Amino acid sequence: MLNDLENFYLNQPEPNKSCLLALREVILALDENIADAWKYRMPFFYYKNKMFCYLWIDKQTKEPYIGIAKGSEFTHPLLEQGGRSRIKILRIQPDQDLPINDIQVILREAMTFY
């Protein structure tokens, strides 16, 4: 039987499904101290047991993004603050190659705040 976390990924339409599963692998491969969990009804990632980032789908564009918990602590041209107080997001185009280098650079920078 699948849990809520697995169901989230598997119930997404393509190309979001493949994109989100690839993002999950990229995030988990960054560091052995990163673990994923189901929290706030979304896939969340913890770094050293603290909230690190999450994956979600933008309601308007229907495209995925990575929400970075300590995003307000640093700047990067690809991060968007929007109306959020401490989280910044990195939008992902699901029908294009993942910007793996940018994702890794941004998430490694976020790790320095833990």
Side-chain angles (χ1 to χ4, degrees):
M1 181 181 235
L2 299 174
N3 62 33
D4 290 336
L5 182 58
E6 293 164 331
N7 277 325
F8 171 81
Y9 292 110
L10 298 178
N11 290 329
Q12 298 299 318
E14 289 294 352
N16 284 354
K17 176 179 170 180
S18 297
C19 179
L20 289 164
L21 287 168
L23 286 170
R24 178 181 182 264
E25 294 303 316
V26 168
I27 294 168
L28 290 173
L30 273 174
D31 191 282
E32 64 185 24
N33 293 305
I34 296 177
D36 60 344
W38 185 249
K39 185 159 178 106
Y40 306 119
R41 298 178 58 189
M42 64 179 65
F44 237 96
F45 297 87
Y46 288 83
Y47 178 60
K48 296 183 178 178
N49 297 319
K50 294 184 178 148
M51 289 192 285
F52 179 57
C53 67
Y54 62 90
L55 298 175
W56 199 239
I57 307 293
D58 185 281
K59 287 181 176 72
Q60 294 174 344
T61 67
K62 306 291 188 223
E63 294 177 337
Y65 64 84
I66 302 171
I68 301 166
K70 296 205 178 209
S72 63
E73 303 284 333
F74 64 102
T75 59
H76 188 281
L78 295 177
L79 291 178
E80 298 176 23
Q81 182 84 45
R84 300 166 195 86
S85 58
R86 60 174 242 200
I87 292 173
K88 286 186 183 176
I89 66 168
L90 173 62
R91 293 185 185 274
I92 304 293
Q93 301 297 317
D95 55 351
Q96 297 177 10
D97 289 342
L98 289 179
I100 292 176
N101 187 55
D102 290 329
I103 293 167
Q104 290 173 335
V105 165
I106 290 168
L107 293 179
R108 284 193 178 112
E109 175 73 17
M111 291 168 128
T112 65
F113 296 98
Y114 290 86

